[in-house]
Amino acid sequence: MPATLTPVTGIIQNVSRFGDNCCEQQVTIRNGSNVTNFIVSADTYVPGQTRLRPGMPVTAFYDASLPVPLIFPPRYQAVVISRRNPGETIFAGFFDENLTAEDDALRLNLSRSTEIITSNGQVFNCRPENQMLIVYYSETTRSIPPQTTPRRIIVMC
């Protein structure tokens, strides 16, 4: 998973076939007046293999280091797209040995209630440091970096 993941959060407006390839779909996400299209392919990670549907709140991540066509609305290749619970934030990125995100945007405090699993849904029995992680959380401190106790962590082994 690339380290330059950029999130787009919103509500799915439409899911349609993309081009001649029946294995790819275009997912349209609306956030207020902003609309963004994502191509969801076999390479896109969808936690829990959730079926994407209109009206579903999601966060999609794309690799900001890749070139994109200059079209409107923008269209990106989705690296990860995940259903989002109300009041929840999803973060994806590399976390160091202190469980601090590479860009200092977030620091994790683990608790017994934090579910830690691998990308295929198995229990991860180690500390999730020095890994690419998908983190689900609700609240953060106002410190720098913000700290949170996540509800769930997916380790991208």
Side-chain angles (χ1 to χ4, degrees):
M1 189 181 303
T4 55
L5 295 180
T6 301
V8 173
T9 297
I11 305 294
I12 294 177
Q13 298 297 298
N14 189 39
V15 178
S16 59
R17 188 171 134 188
F18 180 72
D20 295 332
N21 185 345
C22 293
C23 291
E24 293 183 331
Q25 296 177 319
Q26 179 172 285
V27 176
T28 302
I29 298 175
R30 178 177 294 279
N31 183 344
S33 61
N34 297 324
V35 173
T36 307
N37 291 316
F38 285 92
I39 305 307
V40 176
S41 68
D43 294 331
T44 302
Y45 177 61
V46 182
Q49 299 176 345
T50 303
R51 183 173 169 205
L52 302 173
R53 300 177 185 188
M56 180 183 286
V58 296
T59 298
F61 295 86
Y62 65 93
D63 185 347
S65 69
L66 295 177
V68 295
L70 293 175
I71 58 173
F72 186 80
R75 183 174 66 213
Y76 303 106
Q77 174 66 46
V79 175
V80 176
I81 186 167
S82 181
R83 177 182 202 143
R84 183 180 44 81
N85 291 331
E88 186 170 63
T89 301
I90 303 172
F91 183 93
F94 183 83
F95 285 79
D96 67 14
E97 65 278 355
N98 297 314
L99 294 176
T100 301
E102 188 171 51
D103 62 359
D104 276 337
L106 192 63
R107 184 175 198 164
L108 306 180
N109 298 314
L110 303 181
S111 78
R112 291 179 190 250
S113 64
T114 303
E115 176 188 24
I116 306 174
I117 60 173
T118 63
S119 60
N120 64 8
Q122 304 307 302
V123 173
F124 187 78
N125 289 316
C126 300
R127 282 193 45 88
E129 60 215 15
N130 295 314
Q131 302 274 353
M132 287 295 293
L133 306 176
I134 301 172
V135 180
Y136 297 78
Y137 64 96
S138 297
E139 298 174 356
T140 64
T141 63
R142 293 184 184 210
S143 61
I144 297 178
Q147 296 183 39
T148 189
T149 302
R151 172 182 70 83
R152 180 180 194 200
I153 297 173
I154 300 174
V155 181
M156 305 302 291
C157 297

